[in-house]
């Protein structure tokens, strides 16, 4: 189904627009389409202001501006249009659509959108009549620009694709641009949608806000690319910032820039699930290796972990084996660059020693970009990693990211309070939607299933689907989700795998394993400070995974301590 913005139409919307809205909302094969309805145009080419009935944005195809006419009758003669009972006019639907198209095109050009390979077309849709057989041929419009009631009945999406195909063929014949190979990918399409309707969240329902989250994050993080630009002259840089400040997005952008320059390198992180996500999001390129530090060290050493590794295997033996592998491979083993996400979790002497051999010039003069959160996200050490980094690289330039791009403000404020962040989040890129996180207290040893069920029910009432909800716990065994007593919950709950989420499945996992990832809605269970070492740090990681909705199931005494600031 296409993403409709807004997802509803207001009372008084013309019937034809209502019909087309429903048809596109229900159309199959349009999951990556974005449809803007009733888009106001402040800078219209012919009027003080105007409106586009529909703007359909389709990756791989282009942008189609549609003027909709619901009238039951049509009369066109001598250059004058008579639609239903409306007054005669020389400004017909094709001219209206064309003017709206040119207005939006000029606006996108002002926003520095490269439209040389993005077709922007216009059409008129007569939803109540068979206009394709009624309208005579005319030099004022092309046959492919006419859509009608039969198209609405037989499939709106198919009719739009037909229009794109014919329109692209026309442009290929009449312009110097070969539109046959449209380079309009999904990311570019999302950016166009955000530029055309950047503040639509104030007037839409929660479902639209949720579906816009990823678009918002991409757009907001792009604004922080200047952090990379400002540090471009430094061989090595440490980028720091709390959860949600866009570090992982910047790490991926840094890798793309290195690849564009023909460099060969590695993107490393600590968390396995984050590595799976990075692998899926980064381009397939022989010059790039993506994965966890441990996986990459195993590959370099040419070994697999023992079935029952001793405590020192990962932290001591494996780095030594990898160093031997790098030395044996010679200069070819050293990469042109390293980009390291979650660096706070891998700052030990053995790891830094092997990383020093994995990049040309070493850590001292090689191209190495570090991204880390030293607030409370270093949950795997005693916090000494930052000092070790200072000792090994005393002149390492640092750039701090301060803007929260991920979480809604009320989630961020709760994180400040519950995790004792100092100074904590000060600025939020996303607007406040007025919804507070929800907290439910339980007694130690009691069944949390009823509280978990209640949280899931509230989220579903808020139009969140099961696959958009993640249940997290600090416990690896015996968590509320793993031991749920409700038959329905046991049926739909599945462990987090790192793969694409399936509809109808409610994922659960540990906070530690989910670090570096995010979910539209999160329910955090088993929050008991007496059972969780490093409770504040673990809680910080868990709460910051939620982008839009947060529910917490917290032990009575822990909740009281949090509220009184006595953790």
């Amino acid at each position: 189904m296409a993403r409709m913005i807004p997802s509803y139409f207001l009372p008084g919307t013309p019937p034809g627009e209502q019909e087309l809205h429903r048809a596109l909302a229900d159309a199959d094969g349009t999951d990556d389409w974005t449809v803007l309805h009733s888009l106001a145009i402040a800078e219209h080419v012919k009027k003080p202001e105007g409106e586009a009935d529909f703007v359909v944005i389709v990756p791989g195809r282009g942008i189609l501006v549609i003027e909709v006419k619901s009238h039951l009758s049509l009369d066109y003669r001598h250059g004058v249009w008579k639609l239903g009972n409306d007054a005669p006019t020389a400004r017909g639907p094709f001219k209206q659509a064309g003017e709206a198209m040119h207005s939006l095109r000029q606006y996108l050009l002002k926003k520095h959108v490269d439209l040389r390979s993005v077709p922007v077309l216009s059409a008129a849709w007569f939803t109540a009549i068979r206009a394709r057989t009624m309208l005579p041929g005319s030099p004022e419009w092309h046959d492919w620009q006419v859509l009608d009631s039969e198209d609405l009945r037989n499939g709106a999406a198919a009719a739009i694709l037909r229009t794109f195909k014919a329109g692209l063929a026309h442009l290929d014949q009449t312009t110097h641009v070969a539109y046959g190979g449209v380079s309009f990918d999904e990311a570019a399409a999302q950016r166009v949608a955000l530029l055309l309707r950047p503040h639509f969240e104030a007037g839409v329902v929660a479902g639209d806000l949720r579906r816009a989250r990823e678009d918002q994050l991409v757009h907001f993080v792009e604004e922080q690319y200047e952090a990379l630009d400002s540090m471009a002259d430094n061989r090595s840089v440490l980028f720091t910032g709390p959860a949600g400040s866009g570090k992982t997005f910047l790490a991926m952008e840094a890798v793309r820039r290195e690849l564009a320059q023909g460099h060969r390198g590695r993107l490393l992180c600590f968390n396995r699930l984050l590595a799976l996500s990075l692998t899926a999001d980064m381009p397939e390129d022989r010059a790039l290796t993506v994965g966890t530090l441990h996986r990459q060290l195993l590959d370099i050493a040419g070994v697999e972990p023992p079935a029952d590794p001793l405590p020192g295997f990962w932290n001591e033996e494996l780095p030594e084996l990898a160093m031997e592998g790098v030395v044996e491979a010679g200069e070819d083993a050293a990469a042109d660059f390293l980009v390291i996400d979650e660096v706070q979790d891998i700052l030990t002497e053995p790891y830094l020693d092997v990383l020093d051999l994995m990049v040309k010039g070493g850590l001292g003069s090689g191209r190495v970009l570090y991204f880390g959160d030293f607030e409370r996200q270093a949950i795997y050490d005693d916090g000494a990693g930052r000092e070790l980094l200072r000792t090994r690289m005393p002149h390492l330039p640092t750039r701090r990211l301060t803007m929260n791009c991920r979480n809604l403000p009320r989630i961020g404020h709760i994180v400040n309070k519950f995790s004792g962040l100092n100074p904590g989040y000060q600025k939020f890129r996303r607007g406040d939607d007025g919804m507070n996180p929800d907290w439910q207290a339980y007694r130690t040893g009691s069944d949390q299933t009823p509280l978990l069920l209640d949280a899931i029910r509230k989220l579903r009432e808020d139009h969140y689907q099961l696959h958009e909800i993640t249940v997290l716990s600090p416990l690896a065994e015996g968590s509320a989700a793993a031991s749920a007593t409700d038959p329905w919950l046991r049926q739909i709950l599945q462990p987090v795998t790192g793969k694409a989420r399936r509809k109808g499945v409610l994922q659960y996992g540990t906070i530690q394993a989910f670090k570096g990832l995010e979910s539209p809605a999160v329910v955090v269970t088993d929050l008991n400070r007496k059972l969780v070492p490093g409770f504040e740090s673990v809680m910080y990681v868990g709460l910051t995974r939620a982008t839009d909705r947060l529910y917490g199931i917290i032990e009575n005494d822990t909740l009281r301590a949090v509220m009184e600031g006595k953790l």
Side-chain angles (χ1 to χ4, degrees), residues 137-308:
S138 171
E140 296 182 64
W141 63 83
H142 301 283
D143 292 341
W144 53 266
Q145 291 181 292
V146 185
L147 301 102
D148 62 10
S149 59
E150 289 298 296
D151 291 323
L152 197 59
R153 184 177 299 110
N154 296 329
I160 288 174
L161 292 176
R162 182 193 72 220
T163 302
F164 271 121
K165 181 178 180 180
L168 293 180
H170 169 72
L171 291 176
D172 284 342
Q173 294 174 0
T174 58
T175 67
H176 296 293
V177 179
Y179 280 107
V182 179
S183 59
F184 188 48
D185 60 16
E186 189 169 355
Q190 291 175 352
R191 179 169 179 247
V192 166
L194 283 170
L195 286 172
L196 292 180
R197 189 159 263 167
H199 301 298
F200 64 83
E201 54 275 17
V204 297
V205 296
D208 287 324
L209 286 171
R210 182 178 71 255
R211 284 186 288 272
R213 178 193 55 81
E214 292 185 2
D215 297 345
Q216 289 178 328
L217 183 56
V218 171
H219 178 65
F220 296 157
V221 172
E222 282 179 350
E223 297 177 350
Q224 295 184 240
Y225 283 174
E226 58 88 18
L228 293 177
D229 299 334
S230 66
M231 307 297 280
D233 293 334
N234 296 286
R235 294 290 292 164
S236 295
V237 183
L238 171 62
F239 295 89
T240 69
S245 56
K247 296 183 299 298
T248 297
F249 272 76
L250 289 182
M252 291 192 292
E253 174 65 13
V255 170
R256 293 188 185 99
R257 295 183 181 189
E258 293 293 331
L259 294 176
Q261 298 177 60
H263 298 161
R264 179 177 59 88
R266 297 177 180 271
L267 173 58
L268 307 126
C269 65
F270 185 85
N271 185 289
R272 182 182 66 86
L273 293 179
L274 176 58
L276 290 173
S277 176
L278 291 173
T279 302
D281 290 338
M282 293 304 299
E284 292 187 13
D285 194 313
R286 292 184 179 181
L288 176 65
T289 302
V290 183
T292 65
L293 173 66
H294 289 153
R295 181 67 262 173
Q296 297 201 37
L297 295 185
L298 289 169
D299 292 342
I300 291 172
V303 301
E304 287 298 324
D308 188 18

Side-chain angles (χ1 to χ4, degrees), residues 488-509:
W488 177 72
L489 274 181
R490 291 204 304 270
Q491 180 181 356
I492 62 172
L493 279 165
Q494 291 188 10
V496 173
T497 63
K499 299 179 181 179
R501 303 179 179 213
R502 294 191 295 109
K503 290 186 177 181
V505 170
L506 180 64
Q507 291 193 330
Y508 74 95

Side-chain angles (χ1 to χ4, degrees), residues 8 16 92 106 117 215 217 228 277 283 319 410 472 481:
Y8 59 89
Q106 289 184 14
S117 58
D215 297 345
L217 183 56
L228 293 177
S277 176
R410 298 189 186 211
L472 297 177

Side-chain angles (χ1 to χ4, degrees), residues 118-140:
V118 182
V120 185
L121 306 170
S122 65
W125 204 314
F126 304 85
T127 57
I129 57 177
R130 297 185 179 184
R132 295 181 66 195
T133 58
M134 294 175 58
L135 277 175
S138 171
E140 296 182 64

